Amino acid sequence: MAKAKIEVINDLLGYEGLKIIQRPDIFNFSLDSTILADFVIINKSDKKIIDLGCGNGYIPIFLTLRTKAKITGIEIQEEIYDLAIRSVELNNLNEQIDIYNLDLKEAHKTLGTSSYNVVTCNPPYFKYKEGSNINESIHQTIARHEIYATLDDVVKEANILLKDGGTFAMVHRAERLEDIILTFSKYNFAIKRLRFVYPKTNSENALAILIEAKKKGSSGALKILPPMYVEDESGNYTEEILKIFNYKKGD
């Protein structure tokens, strides 16, 4: 028997008035998407932003807290795309956000080349091969494993979509940093900001990395930012994470 489709409408963290539609059986937004949406630099002159693999629309909706720019989201999975469409409508953000049901590798064919100021992406993290340890849910497997889009596909499409000098921001697994650096160089991105993300204040190894680069940017001037810690030694969110969530201690 097929599992029941159960939707929930959640507050968008501690941001009063913003909601997000979720399907716990197939997709919920992640911490990684939140810290990416907070990390990326958006200038007042940036007029067009696109999020590749937008899921239920979380990053586009979060970014409306930071900018009046036009925001586009791309999502390949139809059921999750439907969540994004309805989440945008629920928040009355149709004038600012457009969501497309597209393969991100083909996005430029519909949306044009060299036309965006900022590209964001929380991509699938894990390489996929026969025998990979995958999730029971095909939706989660697609979101987490490079089935429909590899790291190379994502960075290549970001290059095509961005104007020269445009910003590409991504969150990924720290263990893939070597691949990321090589792929960014291949597609003429100059990395400008890096930040390592640790699960706890006493963790020895970073789990994730936040990375921001410029298309055809000049080499040099790379900033390694202070580490981000998600939880303290007791397993409570750090003050920085609570601030990003717009929560206060004790909430």
Side-chain angles (χ1 to χ4, degrees):
M1 180 180 293
K3 292 182 179 179
K5 297 179 180 180
I6 300 174
E7 291 186 358
V8 294
I9 298 176
N10 296 128
D11 293 327
L12 194 130
L13 301 172
Y15 295 96
E16 187 176 350
L18 288 180
K19 304 288 184 180
I20 192 82
I21 302 173
Q22 311 234 70
R23 278 272 305 276
D25 61 318
I26 62 171
F27 190 87
N28 288 319
F29 73 83
S30 67
L31 171 68
D32 291 348
S33 293
T34 305
I35 60 176
L36 174 62
D38 178 76
F39 170 77
V40 61
I41 291 176
I42 301 173
N43 298 311
K44 289 184 178 179
S45 58
D46 293 331
K47 302 301 182 186
K48 293 180 67 179
I49 300 169
I50 186 167
D51 183 46
L52 303 178
C54 71
N56 60 348
Y58 177 78
I59 288 179
I61 292 170
F62 189 103
L63 289 180
T64 64
L65 295 165
R66 303 187 52 205
T67 181
K68 299 298 183 183
K70 186 71 174 180
I71 304 169
T72 299
I74 301 297
E75 175 54 48
I76 193 171
Q77 299 191 69
E78 191 169 353
E79 283 187 87
I80 299 174
Y81 155 80
D82 179 65
L83 296 178
I85 287 285
R86 289 187 289 116
S87 289
V88 170
E89 292 174 347
L90 180 65
N91 290 287
N92 297 312
L93 290 169
N94 304 67
E95 294 297 317
Q96 188 176 5
I97 299 175
D98 290 323
I99 306 292
Y100 290 85
N101 183 207
L102 294 172
D103 183 337
L104 70 82
K105 299 189 296 292
E106 307 293 324
H108 65 278
K109 294 181 180 179
T110 298
L111 302 172
T113 63
S114 303
S115 57
Y116 287 86
N117 304 108
V118 178
V119 173
T120 58
C121 188
N122 176 8
Y125 290 161
F126 305 109
K127 293 182 179 181
Y128 180 79
K129 58 184 178 181
E130 189 174 347
S132 291
N133 182 20
I134 61 175
N135 306 93
E136 179 183 350
S137 165
I138 185 60
H139 301 284
Q140 294 175 358
T141 297
I142 291 168
R144 296 172 183 173
H145 293 77
E146 295 180 337
I147 295 175
Y148 286 158
T150 64
L151 174 63
D152 191 278
D153 293 329
V154 169
V155 180
K156 179 181 179 181
E157 188 64 18
N159 174 277
I160 294 171
L161 290 166
L162 278 172
K163 296 180 177 181
D164 289 352
T167 298
F168 178 37
M170 185 176 70
V171 60
H172 215 294
R173 297 279 289 199
E175 66 197 47
R176 297 285 305 271
L177 180 56
E178 183 177 6
D179 288 343
I180 292 166
I181 292 172
L182 291 173
T183 307
F184 273 47
S185 178
K186 175 181 177 182
Y187 290 107
N188 209 8
F189 280 105
I191 299 171
K192 296 300 180 184
R193 297 167 68 231
L194 283 176
R195 192 173 192 193
F196 292 92
V197 182
Y198 292 78
K200 291 189 175 183
T201 50
N202 61 347
S203 297
E204 292 185 2
N205 299 312
L207 180 62
I209 188 166
L210 294 160
I211 184 165
E212 187 179 82
K214 295 289 185 179
K215 176 182 175 180
K216 296 186 179 180
S218 58
S219 59
L222 168 63
K223 293 182 180 179
I224 307 294
L225 302 177
M228 173 183 284
Y229 299 101
V230 176
E231 296 178 351
D232 61 24
E233 294 182 22
S234 300
N236 301 310
Y237 283 127
T238 60
E239 288 191 16
E240 180 178 15
I241 295 297
L242 289 173
K243 184 177 179 181
I244 293 171
F245 288 175
N246 204 33
Y247 290 153
K248 297 178 182 177
K249 269 193 171 180
D251 282 356

